[in-house]
Amino acid sequence: MAKSDKSRRAGTPGADPPRAEDHFEGDYRPPLQEHALVPEPNPHIRVEPLQVEFLHRLADALNTTLDVNTLMHKVADLVRAVIDYRIFAILLLNDRTNELRMRFQSGHTPEIERLRIKIGHGVVGQAALQRRSLLIEDVSTFPQYIDANPNVKSELAVPLIMKNKVIGVLDLQSEQPGFFTTEHRRLLELTASRMSTAIENARLYTRVSRQAETLSVLNDISREITSILDPDDLLERIGQLLKRVIDFQMFTILLWNEREEQFEHRFSSRYGERIAKVRTVQLGQGLIGVAAEERIPILAPDVRKDSRYIAENPETRSELSVPLIYKGKVIGVMDLEHTRVNYYNEEHQRTLSTLAAQVAISIANARLYQRIHEEEQRMERDLEMARQVQLRLLPGCPPKLERAEIAARFLPARSIGGDVYDFLDYGNGRVALAVGDVSGKAAPAALYAALVSGILRSLAPQRLSAGALLAALNDQLQERKLASQYVTMLIAVWDDSVQTLQIANAGSVQPLYVTADAASLTNAIDVRTIPVEGFPLGLFPNVMYEERTLTTRPGDMVVFFSDGIVDANDSRGEMFGSERLSTLLQHHPTATDSAMAAVEAILDAVSLFQAGTEHFDDETVLVLRVL
């Protein structure tokens, strides 16, 4: 003691009697009456033990706070008001380790404060074991006494019991033998009985508050990780966010490889730094493998005492492994490690298990996104290949003729369509022009277009008429029939010697015939649709196609185009249409000057009409102009 216990004890012989004007906090003395006789004070109690008043003040103190630390400070102040202690401690019991640890103390050294006292050891351990208060007038006579402070001579320990369960111990020590009395014992027992309930209420409040905070954090974490779709970024972020609810020194995520039938390391952090390592774990191997095999969390308070533990980090003392389960299948394991024994507890286990469910969903979503992304990249490569196939089907340049010129342009859409055109040389100035559109999009359309183009060229040596060529092509496609696949096509056979054009149509857009109006004094342009129709190729067997022959004059033009021209949409969803195309050919200043001028005028007008709107169909224009 800083002062002798004797000098602190009130009412020692020779001391001045208390005066009415003397007052201090915690003084429970009744007011002195004038001329009243002063009773002989108890040699070990500062004031008369007014237990009722003390209990009232104790109740007020305990009922005004739910914070454990504040509660202990208030109890210490109240006890000091009636027992003039110098060394005081409140110890609480750790249920997992069955050890008493100081939660509040006054007068102890830091070394003593850090002590962990087993049940049955020392005065406080015996008080907890025997579940009754112990008043030791001379600690040297107590067999189980722990001589942590050689100056201590006497001790008073009272267990804190709640619902027939010891939760801690109140402990007072003195440097004077026989300092504590039965009155002290009774007051401390009264304090302990009320304090046990208050501590449990405060602990419950703290636990509920912590759980509410944890749930809020888990909600924030869940919301954030569900927005991350890159697997590597997701795993790293999980490690960062997990620190907000559970402290760890080593963190690992392993994911299940179905092909290899083992868990493979995907992410690790060690003391806050990401580390790269190669590690595999078999099902049932170590704590991680057991957690996955049994599909339950595995908590190892001291890995040195757990036969299932496989030493990966030599400094590890406690470990917590939780399986990641998605749709009834274990897809991985989260593993936390710490260098302190008994660091992780059941609350950590519950928290990590709650988070593991959301982590499993996020990992599954990220892996699904990764597969979809890889599939999209593969499809993009396939589409690019299909574009190349489509372009290779088109002829390099139109044939050169003496009495006609031919121009053609093809603009592929973003997604592969099935437009195809070709020139078949019949010899002796005769050329078959083919303009087609295969049903569907993407690679299937491009492949079907390749089939159509190949058959078409194989029929060229037969030099068939327009209708007969379509019928033969349809028969060939019937032999190679594919469900839901067909092609629309126009065939026009030009005879350069007589300037005639024989046309047959298999479901394609009807071509336009552009001529100078002979009845007009201003050489006005006349645009007419060539009325020729027929069934698309590949749908029905034994189809015959009608033919129509045009006798042309110099300056006449025949415009063939795919539906991508007339079906082009602007930003308002309006289509370009056949009427707008006819008006363009009638009034454009240079459209009739040459075949290429007509092609360019049409494509420029359609592009301007769409004004940046994405093209969803191929655009093909082929023009024959008579010279």
Side-chain angles (χ1 to χ4, degrees), residues 345-416:
N345 54 38
E346 292 181 356
E347 186 174 344
H348 292 138
Q349 180 176 310
R350 285 192 296 270
T351 299
L352 193 60
S353 298
T354 302
L355 183 60
Q358 186 59 56
V359 169
I361 294 173
S362 299
I363 289 176
N365 289 342
R367 296 172 99 177
L368 176 61
Y369 172 79
Q370 186 180 39
R371 287 197 296 270
I372 292 174
H373 180 65
E374 291 171 354
E375 184 67 18
E376 285 179 344
Q377 289 182 321
R378 186 190 65 78
M379 291 179 62
E380 222 21 79
R381 291 192 296 269
D382 291 346
L383 286 175
E384 182 58 33
M385 180 64 71
R387 289 189 186 95
Q388 296 302 319
V389 169
Q390 189 178 28
L391 293 174
R392 295 299 185 272
L393 296 177
L394 305 178
C397 57
K400 300 294 184 181
L401 301 170
E402 291 184 7
R403 306 180 69 181
E405 63 173 350
I406 301 173
R409 283 274 309 274
F410 165 74
L411 297 179
R414 176 182 175 275
S415 60
I416 296 299

Side-chain angles (χ1 to χ4, degrees), residues 294-598:
E294 298 184 3
R295 305 165 67 90
I296 58 173
I298 298 295
L299 173 61
D302 188 346
V303 295
R304 296 170 299 181
K305 299 178 181 179
D306 197 316
S307 59
R308 301 169 296 182
Y309 176 69
I310 297 176
E312 182 69 23
N313 298 301
E315 67 270 40
T316 297
R317 292 295 177 266
S318 57
E319 186 169 355
L320 174 59
S321 295
V322 176
L324 301 173
I325 301 175
Y326 178 71
K327 291 186 175 179
K329 295 175 61 177
V330 177
I331 65 170
V333 178
M334 278 196 302
D335 185 68
L336 304 183
E337 298 173 74
H338 206 282
T339 57
R340 279 172 49 187
V341 175
N342 295 313
Y343 182 78
Y344 297 116
N345 54 38
E346 292 181 356
E347 186 174 344
H348 292 138
Q349 180 176 310
R350 285 192 296 270
T351 299
L352 193 60
S353 298
T354 302
L355 183 60
Q358 186 59 56
V359 169
I361 294 173
S362 299
I363 289 176
N365 289 342
R367 296 172 99 177
L368 176 61
Y369 172 79
Q370 186 180 39
R371 287 197 296 270
I372 292 174
H373 180 65
E374 291 171 354
E375 184 67 18
E376 285 179 344
Q377 289 182 321
R378 186 190 65 78
M379 291 179 62
E380 222 21 79
R381 291 192 296 269
D382 291 346
L383 286 175
E384 182 58 33
M385 180 64 71
R387 289 189 186 95
Q388 296 302 319
V389 169
Q390 189 178 28
L391 293 174
R392 295 299 185 272
L393 296 177
L394 305 178
C397 57
K400 300 294 184 181
L401 301 170
E402 291 184 7
R403 306 180 69 181
E405 63 173 350
I406 301 173
R409 283 274 309 274
F410 165 74
L411 297 179
R414 176 182 175 275
S415 60
I416 296 299
D419 280 12
V420 61
Y421 70 88
D422 208 345
F423 309 114
L424 306 178
D425 187 4
Y426 278 11
N428 299 323
R430 296 179 70 227
V431 177
L433 312 178
V435 178
D437 185 2
V438 174
S439 63
K441 301 289 182 185
L447 292 174
Y448 197 69
L451 173 65
V452 172
S453 180
I455 296 173
L456 186 63
R457 292 185 180 185
S458 70
L459 296 173
Q462 300 182 32
R463 300 179 181 180
L464 300 172
S465 66
L469 182 57
L470 286 177
L473 181 56
N474 183 65
D475 292 342
Q476 294 278 355
L477 292 176
Q478 284 295 313
E479 294 178 4
R480 302 165 178 82
K481 190 173 181 64
L482 295 174
S484 303
Q485 286 288 352
Y486 63 90
V487 58
T488 61
M489 183 167 284
L490 268 166
I491 297 290
V493 179
W494 170 254
D495 189 335
D496 202 48
S497 61
V498 293
Q499 294 185 312
T500 60
L501 187 68
Q502 185 187 65
I503 303 174
N505 190 357
S508 187
V509 182
Q510 294 178 337
L512 297 178
Y513 187 30
V514 183
T515 62
D517 189 352
S520 172
L521 298 177
T522 58
N523 293 321
I525 302 299
D526 183 40
V527 179
R528 301 192 305 272
T529 298
I530 300 173
V532 58
E533 299 175 342
F535 289 112
L537 305 174
L539 290 179
F540 307 106
N542 305 319
V543 177
M544 302 300 293
Y545 293 92
E546 66 170 328
E547 299 174 347
R548 186 181 185 87
T549 301
L550 299 178
T551 300
T552 63
R553 295 178 301 173
D556 289 354
M557 286 194 314
V558 179
V559 180
F560 304 91
F561 51 92
S562 67
D563 57 3
I565 297 296
V566 292
D567 291 346
N569 289 331
D570 63 6
S571 58
R572 298 171 298 176
E574 184 179 350
M575 290 195 300
F576 188 78
S578 299
E579 185 177 346
R580 188 176 274 107
L581 178 58
S582 298
T583 302
L584 169 72
L585 293 172
Q586 284 179 318
H587 300 290
H588 194 280
T590 61
T592 57
D593 291 350
S594 67
M596 183 53 71

Side-chain angles (χ1 to χ4, degrees), residues 30-47:
L32 293 177
Q33 300 296 326
E34 191 175 357
H35 308 301
L37 294 176
V38 177
E40 184 68 22
N42 187 300
H44 300 306
I45 302 179
R46 177 179 298 177
V47 296

Side-chain angles (χ1 to χ4, degrees), residues 2-15:
K3 297 180 182 180
S4 170
D5 282 330
K6 290 182 178 181
S7 63
R8 283 178 171 266
R9 291 156 63 185
T12 52

Side-chain angles (χ1 to χ4, degrees), residues 27-100:
D27 187 354
Y28 305 131
R29 295 171 299 176
L32 293 177
Q33 300 296 326
E34 191 175 357
H35 308 301
L37 294 176
V38 177
E40 184 68 22
N42 187 300
H44 300 306
I45 302 179
R46 177 179 298 177
V47 296
E48 292 291 333
L50 302 178
Q51 295 181 8
V52 174
E53 185 178 354
F54 174 74
L55 287 176
H56 282 204
R57 296 201 179 197
L58 179 63
D60 288 342
L62 298 180
N63 293 334
T64 55
T65 181
L66 286 171
D67 179 73
V68 175
N69 292 328
T70 304
L71 178 69
M72 292 181 179
H73 275 87
K74 289 188 173 185
V75 169
D77 290 341
L78 283 172
V79 172
R80 187 190 294 274
V82 292
I83 303 176
D84 197 11
Y85 66 78
R86 179 180 176 274
I87 303 175
F88 174 80
I90 301 175
L91 301 93
L92 296 183
L93 181 66
N94 186 320
D95 291 328
R96 289 187 298 114
T97 62
N98 208 32
E99 294 176 337
L100 292 163

